[in-house]
Amino acid sequence: MADIVNFKERPSETLKVGEGFNLKDADPDATPGYNGDKSDGEVLLAELDDNLALLQEQLFAESRLGGTKRILLILQAMDTAGKGGIVSHVMGAMNPQGVQMKSFKAPTPEEKSYDFLWRIEKEAPAAGMVGVFDRSHYEDVLIHRVHHWADPKELERRYTAINEFESRQAAAGTKIVKVMLHISRDEQKERLLARLDDPSKLWKYSSNDIKERAFWNDYMDAYQKAFEKTATEAVPWYVVPANKKWYARIAVQQLMLDALEGLRLQWPVPDIDVAMERELVERS
Amino acid sequence: MADIVNFKERPSETLKVGEGFNLKDADPDATPGYNGDKSDGEVLLAELDDNLALLQEQLFAESRLGGTKRILLILQAMDTAGKGGIVSHVMGAMNPQGVQMKSFKAPTPEEKSYDFLWRIEKEAPAAGMVGVFDRSHYEDVLIHRVHHWADPKELERRYTAINEFESRQAAAGTKIVKVMLHISRDEQKERLLARLDDPSKLWKYSSNDIKERAFWNDYMDAYQKAFEKTATEAVPWYVVPANKKWYARIAVQQLMLDALEGLRLQWPVPDIDVAMERELVERS
């Protein structure tokens, strides 16, 4: 059996966007807090699957007996950064019954007719669930800022609205984990080319990706701004270097484990007389 | 590496409810079509996980380029029969992004104010998705029949409504797989006792389970009636012996594989000039 190489420092510390953080200085090739290589990372990922599944089952179990805790993972990234891989390789370890997955696409005309948080609120995870947002309300301050679909005053309104929304969710029992998967512009080129070369990946390719790619620096500025405006003590941002897919996966797995462990979950005990119930079952 | 013991006969044939089927004659301990034992079954289950994940990804991929195919697995069973285990051990192999899971509880007052199919229609799987119903509209002809919450005329109306609903879904591209997990009354007793003895399972125990257990034979009659009324050529029922959990899991896995293979899925090819796109990416 392979030795397990664990993180030296927790991603919840090393990857957290703090005071003075600058996205320009974050290296997408780095593997902060982890000294192992790709194969070590793959072993670690598989090894911790069961932990993740167990904690998620406890979260779900608590809610069946009245618990209100829940988790929300928000994934933001440039195209090809690996959101899909995080969902299948990290969240895939959990019981589908307890995962509430939502991919936010361009809003429909109906969605556009409401405030931008209208469609988000409806997808907030229920008690006991692990919600996953593949893109989110942050699109409304990212792509909207890049293409000037919202003016500066409206963007300010949205940052404020996001903070109020997220702190309300947090106060209602939702642990929110906000992740930006950070790849380099060169890495994106490689991955777009790989999609074009592989029949099993070609369906993921969109000509639109090149158009957005042209705005790379504007997107990085928009992310930087979003971090400055919405990284709070209660709901921090994590920037996960993602040029190495294996690292991004173990880092997000650790963030989820930390979030779940922070909830101090236990198997809930129903208010029944076990001995009496046992007798009733025996006689039934 | 362990040898793989495959099914001799396909569950889609051996477990299908056909003309003259009688639930009373179905043995919940049997392992139809499979000569292996528990450990063989566990190896097979793990071995076919990747197949299932691949087919599901192709289904999802097709929908991104306009495909309308989808799958709906309907799980019905007496308490403790193992619906949850099917979801985590079979459906868990799929990418959470492509699984649309819905557990139907007792209807809310709002849901009750509509026709019984109102809440069901809203949860029908979207194109490219694998929907899973943990309980379903069949509760409205099972528990409602057992407790006489619906009179015979209303039950007839519901059988007809169910058939129309399901054949419409099928015509719109949904492959529906209806499964009853079949355990024995004695096996249920063992499993209820096991829940009472295990702190990690105690939360699943409900005093109400004993109450429903008293109506066992009425439930079996209600299932038999539901099969007679709603097992159609396009949307058949499968009765899966479930006293052996490992067998139920590989059987449902096979049913899902058959359903997916029957869709003749392929990696979709977008309508783009790949060579030109490659050049655009290279220059970007």
Side-chain angles (χ1 to χ4, degrees), chain B residues 115-116 141 151-162:
Chain B
D115 182 52
F116 76 109
V141 292
D151 65 24
K153 201 179 144 202
E154 170 63 9
L155 288 170
E156 287 301 325
R157 184 188 77 80
R158 292 183 189 178
Y159 295 128
T160 304
I162 286 172

Side-chain angles (χ1 to χ4, degrees), chain A:
Chain A
M1 181 161 167
D3 280 345
I4 307 296
V5 180
N6 283 301
F7 274 85
K8 294 278 179 217
E9 293 170 279
R10 304 181 85 84
S12 51
E13 297 300 329
T14 55
L15 305 182
K16 191 173 181 173
V17 171
E19 200 69 39
F21 172 88
N22 196 328
L23 185 57
K24 288 197 175 78
D25 302 330
D27 177 6
D29 274 310
T31 61
Y34 196 70
N35 294 333
D37 61 14
K38 181 177 178 181
S39 66
D40 295 322
E42 286 170 350
V43 169
L44 181 67
L45 186 73
E47 184 68 21
L48 295 180
D49 266 0
D50 287 350
N51 276 24
L52 200 59
L54 175 73
L55 287 164
Q56 180 255 315
E57 193 182 359
Q58 287 187 321
L59 178 66
F60 186 80
E62 276 199 355
S63 75
R64 296 302 98 167
L65 277 80
T68 56
K69 295 171 191 167
R70 62 203 97 183
I71 302 259
L72 173 59
L73 172 65
I74 297 177
L75 291 172
Q76 284 290 156
M78 298 299 284
D79 293 316
T80 77
K83 289 187 279 83
I86 295 290
V87 171
S88 78
H89 293 276
V90 182
M91 309 311 288
M94 297 181 180
N95 188 331
Q97 188 166 38
V99 178
Q100 201 176 319
M101 171 80 212
K102 177 66 187 178
S103 297
F104 288 98
K105 312 288 180 196
T108 64
E110 188 195 23
E111 287 170 345
K112 277 189 196 167
S113 77
Y114 293 92
D115 181 53
F116 76 109
L117 289 173
W118 179 78
R119 65 175 187 159
I120 306 297
E121 180 85 41
K122 292 197 292 182
E123 303 294 341
M129 302 297 281
V130 178
V132 184
F133 285 179
D134 176 349
R135 304 188 187 276
S136 67
H137 41 294
Y138 283 98
E139 293 297 321
D140 295 277
V141 292
L142 293 169
I143 190 169
H144 282 239
R145 185 177 194 273
V146 167
H147 295 305
H148 308 289
W149 297 342
D151 65 25
K153 201 179 145 204
E154 170 63 9
L155 288 170
E156 287 301 325
R157 183 188 77 82
R158 292 183 189 178
Y159 295 128
T160 304
I162 287 172
N163 285 333
E164 286 173 2
F165 169 77
E166 291 182 356
S167 65
R168 171 165 56 85
Q169 298 293 329
T174 307
K175 173 72 187 167
I176 302 180
V177 180
K178 298 191 284 194
V179 167
M180 184 233 185
L181 299 175
H182 183 36
I183 57 169
S184 64
R185 201 167 187 282
D186 285 346
E187 179 68 19
Q188 190 189 52
K189 180 185 280 191
E190 294 308 311
R191 294 188 186 181
L192 287 172
L193 290 171
R195 285 185 179 179
L196 287 166
D197 288 338
D198 182 343
S200 77
K201 288 182 180 164
L202 190 53
W203 63 278
K204 295 184 189 178
Y205 182 86
S206 160
S207 310
N208 195 51
D209 295 350
I210 309 184
K211 294 195 191 97
E212 294 304 319
R213 181 172 160 72
F215 295 93
W216 191 274
N217 292 336
D218 295 335
Y219 271 105
M220 294 305 112
D221 288 346
Y223 272 105
Q224 176 69 31
K225 195 73 175 174
F227 298 152
E228 288 167 12
K229 292 286 186 178
T230 67
T232 65
E233 195 49 41
V235 192
W237 269 103
Y238 301 97
V239 171
V240 175
N243 273 5
K244 296 184 171 73
K245 286 181 186 173
W246 64 266
Y247 176 80
R249 290 171 190 173
I250 56 175
V252 175
Q253 187 189 51
Q254 292 285 326
L255 292 173
M256 295 306 288
L257 285 168
D258 270 19
L260 284 158
E261 282 163 8
L263 298 179
R264 303 183 186 287
L265 301 161
Q266 298 203 316
W267 292 118
V269 180
D271 185 21
I272 55 172
D273 179 337
V274 171
M276 196 193 76
E277 294 291 335
R278 194 178 285 125
E279 206 180 304
L280 287 170
V281 174
E282 287 285 9
R283 284 188 312 198
S284 74

